[in-house]
Amino acid sequence: MKELILYSYWRSSAAYRVRIALSLKKLAYKTIPVHLVKEGGQQHTLEFASINASELVPVLVDGEIAINQSLAIIDYLDEISPEVLLTPTDRHLRYQVKSLAQDIAIDIHPINNLRVMQYLTSTIGTDQMQNTDWIRHWITLGFTALEMKLKNTAGACCVGDDVTLVDACLIPQVYNALRFGVTMSPFPTITRLYSSLIKHPDFIAAAPENQLDAQS
Ligand SMILES: N[C@@H](CCC(=O)N[C@@H](CS)C(=O)NCC(=O)O)C(=O)O
């Protein structure tokens, strides 16, 4: 197998999900940092757009294959490295995991993305405080539903006691929530899961502050 390459940005929560999966699976990979802010955003360069025309990270390259979309990448990793599965084989658990992961990755995350914030500021004319309120609002709404669901599914992890795709999505989303000052007290289950999982060695290895491009 050729060396896996991950186009990543240290603060990208979608890239963080993939880093967690790679780390849990003990897969070696090379990081190519894509700075989302510097020089107007390196994701918009011709070089990167030729790898992902959507101009978003992450992208995983495995030999001839380049895959974008963090959930698709993690599915791919489950296929090539099935010893540790992030999506369980049991049908009931599998769809529970997929639904919860998509609650985060599809319903909560995209409306708070950098390009949405940039559009709000440049076209709608919002200021920094209004953008922060926007992010807090949508994360709080999403976490309110998620808290109720996780209360019923969580053990040591989001679904039972084994780490799944939901944990790989939740931890980066809470990282974002804390970064933007979301009040977490209404979410005791989410807070408990976050506090415990960020101490897991594979989650530590994947954490934004431990990436080679951190703070750059
Ligand atoms: N649905 C995509 C989302 C990818 C995405 O939104 N990436 C963000 C970073 S978390 C990005 O590259 N943003 C750049 C921009 O908004 O210009 C996935 O799960 O991979």
Side-chain angles (χ1 to χ4, degrees):
M1 190 162 78
K2 287 214 178 104
E3 185 182 37
L4 295 171
I5 296 172
L6 182 68
Y7 288 84
S8 177
Y9 178 59
W10 66 290
R11 267 186 165 163
S12 156
S13 49
Y16 189 178
R17 293 173 199 147
V18 175
R19 296 196 303 258
I20 291 170
L22 287 161
S23 187
L24 286 163
K25 291 169 177 289
K26 316 289 182 221
L27 287 169
Y29 65 100
K30 176 178 156 192
T31 299
I32 300 189
V34 179
H35 202 297
L36 298 185
V37 184
K38 207 161 65 184
E39 299 154 11
Q42 293 173 344
Q43 70 276 31
H44 305 303
T45 59
L46 282 178
E47 191 193 346
F48 185 74
S50 70
I51 296 163
N52 181 13
S54 305
E55 301 178 12
L56 299 168
V57 293
V59 175
L60 181 86
V61 177
D62 183 12
E64 300 303 305
I65 313 168
I67 312 165
N68 70 300
Q69 289 295 351
S70 57
L71 300 189
I73 296 171
I74 295 172
D75 268 353
Y76 178 78
L77 294 176
D78 267 357
E79 266 188 45
I80 63 165
S81 174
E83 295 75 20
V84 174
L85 285 176
L86 274 84
T87 304
T89 48
D90 173 85
R91 187 188 291 152
H92 175 80
L93 282 180
R94 184 162 75 246
Y95 285 96
Q96 199 168 38
V97 161
K98 280 177 184 273
S99 303
L100 288 165
Q102 290 181 23
D103 279 344
I104 301 167
I106 295 180
D107 288 351
I108 301 178
H109 171 265
I111 38 177
N112 296 324
N113 206 351
L114 175 64
R115 63 185 180 178
V116 174
M117 295 304 118
Q118 288 172 339
Y119 180 81
L120 285 175
T121 303
S122 64
T123 307
I124 313 288
T126 56
D127 60 27
Q128 193 54 52
M129 197 55 231
Q130 288 169 312
N131 288 359
T132 302
D133 282 348
W134 168 288
I135 292 174
R136 288 179 184 162
H137 170 79
W138 293 113
I139 295 180
T140 302
L141 192 78
F143 276 8
T144 302
L146 199 60
E147 174 69 24
M148 288 195 268
K149 296 180 187 186
L150 292 177
K151 232 180 242 171
N152 297 322
T153 62
C157 299
C158 288
V159 177
D161 293 326
D162 295 328
V163 174
T164 66
L165 181 62
V166 192
D167 305 290
C169 290
L170 181 72
I171 290 351
Q173 191 58 58
V174 176
Y175 168 82
N176 266 357
L178 296 174
R179 184 178 158 208
F180 290 100
V182 171
T183 303
M184 292 298 293
S185 49
F187 312 121
T189 311
I190 293 175
T191 303
R192 171 179 70 77
L193 290 163
Y194 179 77
S195 308
S196 152
L197 283 163
I198 50 159
K199 297 186 194 120
H200 186 301
D202 293 321
F203 284 70
I204 292 175
E209 62 276 14
N210 296 325
Q211 305 315 301
L212 56 91
D213 57 331
Q215 318 289 344
S216 68

